[in-house]
Structure formats: structure tokens, C-alpha cells
Amino acid sequence: MEHLRLMRGLTQHQLAARCTALGRPMADTALSRTERARRRCDIDDLGALATALGAPPAALLLPWPTHALVSHAPAQTLTPFQEALLG
């Protein structure tokens, strides 16, 4: 989820605000904990997050490269399946 958020150029605050605007209130801390697997993500959260990110819910369930955009590590390429999910 974090990778997709960063790909979309969104901060945690912006993504949480989008979820709230969609009718699924979400605090910045809740989003942060969800991204780091410290908080469970129920189906309502998954649907709101996917909509807010403009991606299908299945895209949030896949393993993605972590922190490649933040750490300045060499960017990992997406698999064809990940690219297809993102459209």
C-alpha cells in the first residue's frame, strides 16, 4: 500500500483524507499502522483505500517493493501482473 501511495505522490495525511471523504473515516495514525502491518485492514478499509488510490483492491494485497522511492535504492521493476493491476 505504501508503494502505491508513494507512486501516486500522496502523503499519509492526503490518503487518509481521501478515505474520510469517501465515507470511511481514517486517521493518519491508523493509515500508518495499516501500512506497517501494525493494524488490521478490514474489507471496508481495503475498499476505501483502493478507491482513494485508484487501484483495484487486489493490488493492495500483493507484495510490492518497499521504500524504493524513499530510500533512493535502485527502483525495483514491477511484475507484469502488478503492472496489469495498475492499468
Side-chain angles (χ1 to χ4, degrees), residues 6-41:
L6 294 172
M7 284 178 58
R8 301 289 194 257
L10 297 171
T11 65
Q12 287 180 340
H13 179 76
Q14 290 169 324
L15 180 54
R18 284 186 178 195
C19 289
T20 299
L22 289 168
R24 183 66 179 170
M26 186 172 297
D28 300 2
T29 54
L31 178 59
S32 175
R33 290 178 183 150
T34 301
E35 282 186 347
R36 284 156 182 61
R38 302 271 188 233
R39 175 183 178 271
R40 72 181 178 89
C41 182

Side-chain angles (χ1 to χ4, degrees), residues 41-84:
C41 182
D42 64 22
I43 192 69
D44 295 334
D45 292 338
L46 182 67
L49 288 164
T51 300
L53 287 167
L60 300 181
L61 302 174
L62 295 173
W64 294 92
T66 56
H67 306 294
L69 297 177
V70 176
S71 68
H72 305 291
Q76 297 177 8
T77 59
L78 301 178
T79 67
F81 183 68
Q82 289 168 327
E83 289 179 3

